[in-house]
Amino acid sequence: MFCVPSTEIGAIMNITKGGLVLFSANSNSSCMELSKRIAERLGVEMGKVQVYQEPNRETRVQIQESVRGKDVFIIQTVSKDVNTTIMELLIMVYACKTSCAKSIIGVIPYFPYSKQCKMRKRGSIVSKLLASMMCKAGLTHLITMDLHQKEIQGFFNIPVDNLRASPFLLQYIQEEIPDYRNAVIVAKSPASAKRAQSFAERLRLGIAVIHGEAQDAESDMVDGRHSPPTAKYVAAIHPSLEIPMLIPKEKPPITVVGDVGGRIAIIVDDIIDDVDTFLAAAETLKERGAYKIFVMATHGLLSSDAPRLIEESAIDEVVVTNTIPHEIQKLQCPKIKTVDISMILSEAIRRIHNGESMSYLFRNIGNEL
C-alpha cells in the first residue's frame, strides 16, 4: 500500500492531550483496518465498544468504557451494507451523547448518499436528510474527505472539515508512474473538467476532455426541471399565456478535446463505482492513440462486477484511496492499487482534539478539488 511520508506530521503525531477516545462504529471486521491505522499513528488504543446485529437485524451498540467529559472520535467506513453502516453510526453517536461526552466528532472518509445531493424528478435530497439525522443524533463535528459536491457542507449546522486526497494521488503519479511527464490529465466528461484542470496545473501537464458520451446521470435532464410531462405548450395561470417548450438536448458524437496520441492518459474523478463510463472513456482514449491509461479516484466503491470489468478492459491501473475497504476487489483484480490516507485523518483528529488550526492540512490545496 502506497503511503505519503511526512517528517513534520510524523514528528508530532503521537503528541495528544488526554481525554481522547477513538471508536470504530463498524460491526464488520473488514472495515476496521483504517481505524487501526489511525489509532496506531495517534499512539492510542481503540476504545472498547461492542457493535453487532441482533437476530432480527436490529443494530445494538454497547460502549464499555466511560466517555464522560471526553472528546469522542467515531470512525465509520462504509461497507457494502450502507444502511446498516449509517444506523451503526447514528446509534453510537446517540449513545455517546447520552453518556455525557464533551464532543462527538464523526470521521467519515466517504460520506454515504453523497451522489443524492440534488433534486431528481420527484425524489429527495437524501444527503440533506442524512446530515440532519447525524446532527440530531448528537454529532458536533464532521471530518470527511472529497465530498461529491462541496456544497453538501451547507447541509450541516455543525463544523465540517472536507479534507483532500489529491496530494496523495499527485505524489503517487510522480513516484509510481515513471514517464508521467509524457502524460495528459483526462476528464471523462465536461463535469469533471475542473478537477482535471487542477491536477494538470499542479503536475504541469496538459488536459483533455471527453465530450459526447452517453447521457450523464448528473445532468439536468434528470432534475426537477424536467418533471412536468412533455408538451409543446403548458397552460399558465392565465389562459391567454403560453409557456414555450424547452428544446431537448442532443449529445454530439464522442469527441476528445486535447491531444492524447502517444501519451499516458490519467483519468481523474472523485468516485469510481459503476465503471461503465470509465471503460467507455478508456476505449475512446485507446482509439485516439493513448498507450497507457490510469484511473485516479478518491473513493473506490467498485460495486458489482467492477473488478472483472476493469481486469478485462483497456485500463492499465486503477488507483484509489482506502476511504472504503476493497481488499476483496484487489484480489479479483490486480490492476487495483491503494493509497493510504490514514495520515491526514489522524493528523486532523490530533489537531481538533488539541484545539490547533486545521489550515496546515489545506495549505496549497485548491478548493476546487
Side-chain angles (χ1 to χ4, degrees), residues 62-74:
Q62 292 183 338
I63 298 174
Q64 298 178 321
E65 62 179 88
S66 174
V67 296
R68 182 179 294 271
K70 296 182 179 180
D71 292 331
V72 177
F73 292 83
I74 301 174

Side-chain angles (χ1 to χ4, degrees), residues 21-25 38 71-77 89-90 92-93 96 103-112 134-135 138-145 156 158-163 345 348-349 352 358:
V21 181
L22 203 64
F23 286 132
S24 174
I38 292 173
D71 292 331
V72 177
F73 292 83
I74 301 174
I75 304 169
Q76 183 69 318
T77 50
L89 174 67
L90 294 175
M92 182 172 286
V93 168
C96 292
S103 61
I104 306 165
I105 300 93
V107 183
I108 311 170
Y110 170 67
F111 188 74
M134 289 181 180
C135 296
L139 210 63
T140 60
H141 198 134
L142 176 67
I143 301 172
T144 187
M145 181 166 281
F156 292 84
I158 59 173
V160 177
D161 286 307
N162 182 29
L163 303 177
L345 292 174
I349 291 172
I352 290 173
M358 294 285 285

Side-chain angles (χ1 to χ4, degrees), residues 11-29:
I12 58 177
M13 188 61 72
N14 292 335
I15 304 175
T16 55
K17 299 176 182 177
L20 180 148
V21 181
L22 203 64
F23 286 132
S24 174
N26 286 108
S27 58
N28 189 340
S29 58

Side-chain angles (χ1 to χ4, degrees), residues 210-211 213 254-256 260 277-290 293 314:
I210 300 175
H211 179 52
E213 75 278 20
I254 291 179
T255 306
V256 178
V260 297
T277 55
F278 290 93
L279 302 184
E283 289 295 334
T284 301
L285 293 169
K286 276 289 185 184
E287 292 172 3
R288 300 301 194 278
I293 299 172

Side-chain angles (χ1 to χ4, degrees), residues 310-346:
I310 291 170
E311 185 64 24
E312 297 172 356
S313 74
I315 297 172
D316 292 281
E317 193 168 286
V318 173
V319 182
V320 293
T321 72
N322 57 344
T323 56
I324 297 172
H326 48 259
E327 294 304 316
I328 295 175
Q329 289 91 331
K330 287 175 68 176
L331 293 174
Q332 297 170 341
C333 178
K335 291 182 179 180
I336 300 172
K337 308 297 181 184
T338 307
V339 173
D340 180 25
I341 45 80
S342 61
M343 178 183 296
I344 193 170
L345 292 174
S346 50

Side-chain angles (χ1 to χ4, degrees), residues 50-354:
Q50 277 191 333
V51 183
Y52 58 94
Q53 309 300 317
E54 297 278 13
N56 63 358
R57 301 301 298 161
E58 288 185 0
T59 300
R60 186 174 291 272
V61 174
Q62 292 183 338
I63 298 174
Q64 298 178 321
E65 62 179 88
S66 174
V67 296
R68 182 179 294 271
K70 296 182 179 180
D71 292 331
V72 177
F73 292 83
I74 301 174
I75 304 169
Q76 183 69 318
T77 50
V78 178
S79 66
K80 291 296 181 184
D81 189 352
V82 62
N83 294 324
T84 297
T85 298
I86 291 169
M87 285 307 300
E88 289 171 348
L89 174 67
L90 294 175
I91 294 171
M92 182 172 286
V93 168
Y94 189 66
C96 292
K97 177 183 178 181
T98 55
S99 297
C100 301
K102 178 184 176 183
S103 61
I104 306 165
I105 300 93
V107 183
I108 311 170
Y110 170 67
F111 188 74
Y113 286 97
S114 60
K115 285 188 174 182
Q116 298 189 45
C117 60
K118 297 178 181 179
M119 180 63 74
R120 306 278 176 79
K121 293 187 178 179
R122 294 176 178 83
S124 61
I125 305 175
V126 183
S127 54
K128 165 61 177 172
L129 170 64
L130 186 55
S132 300
M133 291 167 66
M134 289 181 180
C135 296
K136 187 67 176 178
L139 210 63
T140 60
H141 198 134
L142 176 67
I143 301 172
T144 187
M145 181 166 281
D146 283 344
L147 288 168
H148 185 55
Q149 297 288 342
K150 60 185 179 181
E151 289 80 7
I152 292 175
Q153 296 173 84
F155 294 161
F156 292 84
N157 55 16
I158 59 173
V160 177
D161 286 307
N162 182 29
L163 303 177
R164 314 284 191 258
S166 54
F168 297 84
L169 297 175
L170 289 167
Q171 189 162 358
Y172 184 96
I173 292 171
Q174 292 173 318
E175 296 185 357
E176 300 299 316
I177 303 178
D179 196 21
Y180 85 93
R181 288 293 181 189
N182 188 37
V184 59
I185 304 299
V186 179
K188 66 180 178 65
S189 68
S192 306
K194 199 171 184 180
R195 178 180 297 271
Q197 179 185 358
S198 183
F199 270 73
E201 290 175 352
R202 294 178 191 287
L203 293 168
R204 312 297 190 267
L205 299 176
I207 183 174
V209 179
I210 300 175
H211 179 52
E213 75 278 20
Q215 181 65 51
D216 190 270
E218 295 293 323
S219 73
D220 61 0
M221 289 295 292
V222 291
D223 71 13
R225 288 175 287 177
H226 286 264
S227 57
T230 303
K232 186 175 181 180
Y233 291 99
V234 180
I237 296 174
H238 194 277
S240 65
L241 297 177
E242 294 180 332
I243 300 175
M245 180 183 67
L246 184 66
I247 299 173
K249 291 182 180 179
E250 184 177 334
K251 282 283 186 178
I254 291 179
T255 306
V256 178
V257 182
D259 181 22
V260 297
R263 313 281 288 276
I264 298 172
I266 304 175
I267 304 172
V268 297
D269 214 334
D270 62 327
I271 299 172
I272 177 168
D273 185 7
D274 180 4
V275 297
D276 289 345
T277 55
F278 290 93
L279 302 184
E283 289 295 334
T284 301
L285 293 169
K286 276 289 185 184
E287 292 172 3
R288 300 301 194 278
Y291 72 92
K292 270 192 176 180
I293 299 172
F294 291 80
V295 175
M296 300 276 170
T298 303
H299 309 295
L301 276 67
L302 301 169
S303 302
S304 190
D305 289 335
R308 178 182 61 81
L309 294 172
I310 291 170
E311 185 64 24
E312 297 172 356
S313 74
I315 297 172
D316 292 281
E317 193 168 286
V318 173
V319 182
V320 293
T321 72
N322 57 344
T323 56
I324 297 172
H326 48 259
E327 294 304 316
I328 295 175
Q329 289 91 331
K330 287 175 68 176
L331 293 174
Q332 297 170 341
C333 178
K335 291 182 179 180
I336 300 172
K337 308 297 181 184
T338 307
V339 173
D340 180 25
I341 45 80
S342 61
M343 178 183 296
I344 193 170
L345 292 174
S346 50
E347 177 64 4
I349 291 172
R350 190 196 69 80
R351 286 174 178 268
I352 290 173
H353 175 61
N354 290 348

